[in-house]
Amino acid sequence: GIQVEQSPPDLILQEGANSTLRCNFSDSVNNLQWFHQNPWGQLINLFYIPSGTKQNGRLSATTVATERYSLLYISSSQTTDSGVYFCAVERQEYGNKLVFGAGTILRVKS
Amino acid sequence: DAGVTQSPTHLIKTRGQQVTLRCSPKSGHDTVSWYQQALGQGPQFIFQYYEEEERQRGNFPDRFSGHQFPNYSSELNVNALLLGDSALYLCASSRWTGDYSYEQYFGPGTRLTVT
């Protein structure tokens, strides 16, 4: 099946700093999503981005499908950005399911 | 527009018992998927339902079964519970394109503890 690797596994930032999270995947995909999991376990949709670039406030994401990676940018980080960030992909030939990476744990300190 | 809802929020069961978890999809969605998330790991796909049938299944034993109703809501049943079944169970809904799913949206999850 498809493999998804996220880096870094852990990240500690001072409030106001910028960060880049990376997601590498082993095959072409039909669907790629970024999620933020809050302390209560809720997975919050950040981006649906199988290719291209999108921006939403302080967050933006870029997927380079031909090179099989995606980047999530967080600018001017806030303590509320803390949590786990997951990248998940779907490829039709491997079944219609999201395959998740192991996540990046982000801690933003005030 | 209500998002994906799940019930119950928390559940404590004893080893060997059976449990049923419930999910209502986001309005306009016809596909429901279930995921298991163990502590410190990413969610793992259990199975997916579309048109009241199981379309795809992950690497989970037959103790895990499900159902989808005509209104697209779904249930996850786990029989003969093991301690290792303790996890956060997440339901996701999406709209099927004919080839693959559009964006999936997750419910708040049910936290199952098996003692």
Side-chain angles (χ1 to χ4, degrees), chain A residues 29-80:
Chain A
V29 297
N30 302 107
N31 175 8
L32 187 146
Q33 293 184 241
W34 283 98
F35 297 93
H36 176 211
Q37 189 165 43
N38 66 22
W40 298 272
Q42 173 82 56
L43 279 170
I44 299 164
N45 289 43
L46 298 178
F47 294 101
Y48 171 74
I49 187 167
S51 63
T53 297
K54 290 186 177 179
Q55 180 154 7
N56 184 3
R58 295 182 296 104
L59 303 182
S60 64
T62 295
T63 298
V64 183
T66 53
E67 297 187 20
R68 300 177 187 168
Y69 73 89
S70 183
L71 301 174
L72 177 68
Y73 305 96
I74 305 174
S75 65
S76 304
S77 58
Q78 300 175 359
T79 56
T80 52

Side-chain angles (χ1 to χ4, degrees), chain A residues 33 37 42 45 96 98, chain B residues 35 37 48 101 103-104 106:
Chain A
Q33 293 184 241
Q37 189 165 43
Q42 173 82 56
N45 289 43
N96 304 108
L98 282 176
Chain B
Y35 294 79
Q37 186 177 21
Q48 184 179 84
S101 301
E103 184 173 7
Q104 295 197 30
F106 283 80

Side-chain angles (χ1 to χ4, degrees), chain B residues 67-81:
Chain B
H67 189 78
Q68 185 179 35
F69 300 94
N71 66 353
Y72 307 116
S73 67
S74 177
E75 288 182 348
L76 164 65
N77 301 292
V78 187
N79 295 321
L81 284 167

Side-chain angles (χ1 to χ4, degrees), chain B:
Chain B
D1 176 25
V4 181
T5 60
Q6 291 187 243
S7 63
T9 305
H10 294 87
L11 205 49
I12 299 175
K13 289 287 189 178
T14 303
R15 194 170 41 185
Q17 286 188 316
Q18 178 265 343
V19 68
T20 297
L21 310 181
R22 295 177 175 82
C23 171
S24 290
K26 187 176 169 65
S27 177
H29 287 184
D30 54 12
T31 301
V32 173
S33 304
W34 287 92
Y35 294 79
Q36 179 196 66
Q37 186 177 21
L39 201 60
Q41 299 181 20
Q44 299 290 317
F45 176 78
I46 303 174
F47 42 52
Q48 184 179 84
Y49 278 84
Y50 173 71
E51 292 188 338
E52 302 180 50
E53 291 191 358
E54 182 183 293
R55 177 167 59 193
Q56 195 69 229
R57 189 178 182 91
N59 189 25
F60 279 80
D62 292 344
R63 297 187 297 109
F64 289 76
S65 63
H67 189 78
Q68 185 179 35
F69 300 94
N71 66 353
Y72 307 116
S73 67
S74 177
E75 288 182 348
L76 164 65
N77 301 292
V78 187
N79 295 321
L81 284 167
L82 303 174
L83 296 179
D85 295 331
S86 295
L88 180 66
Y89 288 84
L90 296 162
C91 169
S93 76
S94 58
R95 192 160 50 88
W96 181 243
T97 70
D99 293 310
Y100 53 89
S101 301
Y102 282 124
E103 184 173 7
Q104 295 197 30
Y105 290 82
F106 283 80
T110 294
R111 195 166 296 278
L112 172 65
T113 302
V114 182
T115 62

